[in-house]
Structures are given as C-alpha cells and as structure tokens.
Amino acid sequence: MTGTLPPDVVARRFALCTRGADGSTATFDAEGRLLSFRLDGVHFRRGLDGTIVRLVPRGAHAPSPWSVRLECDPAAVLTRLAAALGDLAQRASGPRARRFAVRAMDGLAAGWESDVRRFREVLGCVPIVPPLHVRSVVLRLTAGCAYGRCRFCTLYERVPFRVRGAQEWRAHVAAVLDWFGAGAGLRPSLWIGDASLLEAGDALLAEALSALRECVTILPASPSARAAAAGPCDDPRVFEGIYGFADVPRAAALSSTTAAALAEGGVRRLYLGLESGHAPLLRWLRKAHDGSRVAQAVRRLHDAGIGVGLVVLVGAGGRDFEEAHRRDTVALLAALGLRRGDVVLVSPLDEHARAGAAAGDEPLGEAALAAATERLTAAAEAVLPRGVRAADYGLEGFVY
C-alpha cells in the first residue's frame, strides 16, 4: 500500500516513549514535543493546538470505539504527568538521550504555551484530516470550503474560504516546517488542506507544488526508486508523498495534463467525498455530483497514477435511506475499478450531525448507527478488489 517508507527512512522517524514508576507512559517527537500519554490508567492525546483530550472506551454498540472528552485544565494534567514521569534525564542513557529528555520535560513546563501559540499562528485550527493521515504534516493552501452547501457538513462553516497566493504559500510552508523542526521526522507524509486542494486552481496549485518541493524531498512513487532515493536517514524533511481532499466535480474535470502534473508533483492519493451511490440521497444531501461523475474522477486520477480515497457516509437521511444507500453505494464501489492502494473510508455521522437535519426524519440511534456501519463496511469489503481496504472514519475521535 502507498505510504510504506524504506527502512533507512523509518529509522529517522523516531520518538521517545518513556514510562514512569507508577506505569504512566508518554510519547514525544524528536523536538521533545508531547504527543500522547497514559496517566492513572486513562489514555490522553495532545492536539498540537494545545488541546488535550481523554479517550474513553465506548460500548460494543457504539458507532466509534472511543468517546473523546476535552480536558478543561491542560496545565493541571501536564503537571501531574511531569510529576509521574520524574527526572527523565537521570534515567536516560547517553548524552543525546539526556539532552532529549531535558527538552521533553522543558516542553511540559515553560515551553508549552509558546509552542502552542506559535502553532496557532502558523496553522490555526485544522478542521479535519483522515485517520490514515493524522500524523501527516498539514499545510493549508486553501482555508475553508468554496462550495459549503452540503447538508451534513459543519466542518468549515466558521472558516471563510480563501486561497493563499504564491508568496503567502511559500511563507506558510517555511513557517510550518520550522515549527515542526525535527519532529517532522515522525510524520511520513504531507497533507494539503482544506476541503479541496483543487479549489486553488490549476496554475496556482502547480506553482504551490513546485515551491513545496524546493523545501522538502518527495520520494518517488515506485518502491524500488523510493528506496534508492531515500537520502540521509536523519533528514526530517523527506516525505513519501502528498495527500489531500478533492471535490468530485473538479477531479472529474481535470485534464490529463493537469492530473499528470499533480502526480509528478508528488500527489499520491486524493480523497473524494463520494458520500453515497444512491442518487436521491445525494440530491437530498445537496451534493454537486452523481455516480457517473465519481466514476469519471476515479478514472482521471488512476490514469495519472494517483490513488483514490472514497468517503462514504453512514446514517445520512436516517432510516428512510439506509437500505437503498447501502445497496447502491456498494454497487457503485464494485463498478469503479478501484485498485491496490485505494481506500474506502466509512464515516458514521458524528454526534453533532446526528442532532441536525442530515440525520433525516427518523435518525438512527447510536446502536442502529453502529449496526449500519458494520453492515455497510462488511458489504463494501465483500466487493472491493484485493489490496483495497475499508477503514473507519469516525470524526468524533479527531485530534491533530
């Protein structure tokens, strides 16, 4: 599957995992930046914007395995974690490890607020990234969504749509890479947001990819060529590819020349919001495409050597649409000619969407939504070609 890095590149993508005397654990990147931890038996994730969330296991009949709860007092949690981990420097073996340990503990104290403030300055709020790319370095060529009329989506409703110009983009790339520093070595790929990188337009997107490749190394798509071109194992700016969302109408309308240029520029997979193969549901959701446009978009990307990710909703329209949605969506997936490395992301409506108009007149309850998710996933897996997988895309667990 696209995304595997050669061993000498994997070797540089390191993080410190440490354990306290009481069994508490913490993971840091190469800048000593906290990523996740376990404290008093509770699992936490750190959002790079300074949020800390608790991951609480949900019941067997929930649509997603974790309930995410925002910590209202991150400073208190960090103080408890620092006390639990003790003096990492004394337990570190070797001068390099000791320097790293000191940096990590400093990051839990004085460096936290300045680090978070700088992140918010360079990236702001990252609305969403698919779970397969939550460890990507995110860059925002566009902000928000130019379309903004989908019945179910509220991700970008408070983000005015804009496109960064060429000079602003160069400054943005430099600032983001500077913030991640050596910590970028833990992140194997680049993600270009927000809602559709194609909304930037062909000319600006081509210029943006060219400018980006002046700052980073994108490994070749071919595994053998990738291994040969891996470069120094300690270079944190070597990535295996570029990924992003793309809207179906623009992807279907790509010229073969433009699509080939995207592949040459390092784009390895684009994620399309298929949502459903059932035409009445697509119209009800106010989507700007139908199944034939999805098929055209997939062909256009495949012909250029670009992989495809397809996002499929569960629960949209409620009970009125559930059976027809599953039937027609699975039929469309079977007919699209998906190939090894493509991905289908099954996305149950999150808690916010389930309380809104997108859930329909008879919304699916939590248990029914979980069952519908399982049915659609199983039916999709039964028709997907070998090497194409269906994966969970629960929005409620998103933390970047």
Side-chain angles (χ1 to χ4, degrees):
M1 179 177 177
T2 302
T4 301
L5 290 158
D8 54 344
V9 177
V10 172
R12 71 174 169 82
R13 302 200 181 282
F14 62 89
L16 170 67
C17 299
T18 186
R19 180 181 298 272
D22 62 350
S24 300
T25 61
T27 303
F28 301 84
D29 70 11
E31 286 287 337
R33 188 175 287 125
L34 180 68
L35 301 175
S36 62
F37 58 100
R38 184 165 62 91
L39 190 62
D40 298 330
V42 179
H43 293 272
F44 296 83
R45 285 182 189 164
R46 175 256 171 105
L48 298 179
D49 64 353
T51 58
I52 293 179
V53 296
R54 284 179 290 135
L55 303 182
V56 182
R58 305 180 80 163
H61 300 296
S64 59
W66 297 101
S67 174
V68 179
R69 296 291 180 263
L70 182 67
E71 283 295 325
C72 297
D73 191 359
V77 177
L78 294 175
T79 300
R80 287 167 53 210
L81 177 63
L85 294 179
D87 191 343
L88 290 181
Q90 286 188 1
R91 294 187 279 121
S93 58
R96 181 180 182 185
R98 280 193 291 275
R99 287 196 301 272
F100 185 88
V102 169
R103 186 187 307 171
M105 298 311 289
D106 285 347
L108 290 179
W112 177 271
E113 290 187 5
S114 61
D115 190 57
V116 165
R117 183 168 56 251
R118 181 57 180 154
F119 175 85
R120 292 174 177 172
E121 289 172 356
V122 301
L123 262 175
C125 176
V126 177
I128 192 67
V129 177
L132 297 176
H133 299 283
V134 75
R135 283 290 175 87
S136 297
V137 169
V138 171
L139 299 162
R140 301 179 72 184
L141 179 58
T142 66
C145 175
Y147 181 67
R149 294 191 289 277
C150 297
R151 187 185 292 268
F152 59 92
C153 183
T154 59
L155 291 170
Y156 309 103
E157 63 182 7
R158 296 183 181 180
V159 184
F161 177 74
R162 61 184 294 266
V163 180
R164 296 182 193 274
Q167 291 304 115
E168 185 185 2
W169 168 252
R170 288 177 181 271
H172 173 70
V173 170
V176 171
L177 293 175
D178 179 69
W179 185 87
F180 276 101
L186 190 64
R187 300 172 182 273
S189 59
L190 297 163
W191 178 271
I192 297 182
D194 276 347
S196 172
L197 58 80
L198 300 182
E199 290 176 331
D202 293 355
L204 179 57
L205 181 54
E207 186 175 357
L209 292 177
S210 177
L212 177 58
R213 295 193 67 159
E214 293 174 8
C215 303
V216 302
T217 298
I218 306 295
L219 297 176
S222 163
S224 58
R226 190 185 307 156
C233 65
D234 60 347
D235 183 356
R237 295 190 178 188
V238 176
F239 300 95
E240 57 87 9
I242 298 169
Y243 300 80
F245 289 122
D247 60 289
V248 170
R250 286 184 178 84
L254 283 172
S255 69
S256 56
T257 300
T258 299
L262 293 179
E264 181 66 24
V267 175
R268 299 289 177 253
R269 186 188 303 126
L270 291 178
Y271 288 81
L272 308 173
L274 164 61
E275 321 306 2
S276 178
H278 186 53
L281 179 55
L282 284 174
R283 290 193 293 271
W284 186 80
L285 290 173
R286 299 197 289 261
K287 296 298 296 184
H289 65 260
D290 57 18
S292 65
R293 297 297 295 276
V294 174
Q296 185 178 355
V298 170
R299 286 195 301 272
R300 183 67 71 196
L301 295 174
H302 277 176
D303 288 347
I306 298 173
V308 172
L310 297 172
V311 181
V312 175
L313 291 177
V314 184
R319 297 185 186 280
D320 292 342
F321 285 105
E322 199 255 325
E323 184 176 348
H325 163 61
R326 181 176 67 254
R327 179 196 65 222
D328 292 352
T329 300
V330 171
L332 180 58
L333 291 174
L336 286 176
L338 299 180
R339 65 190 189 188
R340 181 177 293 275
D342 290 339
V343 180
V344 175
L345 297 180
V346 181
S347 182
L349 292 183
D350 63 15
E351 189 173 355
H352 179 76
R354 292 200 298 274
D361 294 332
E362 293 187 64
L364 298 181
E366 189 171 276
L369 184 62
T373 301
E374 290 181 4
R375 286 193 295 269
L376 194 150
T377 301
E381 288 176 335
V383 302
L384 293 177
R386 189 167 186 167
V388 179
R389 64 168 169 149
D392 175 68
Y393 186 18
L395 301 188
E396 292 179 35
F398 174 70
V399 183
Y400 180 67

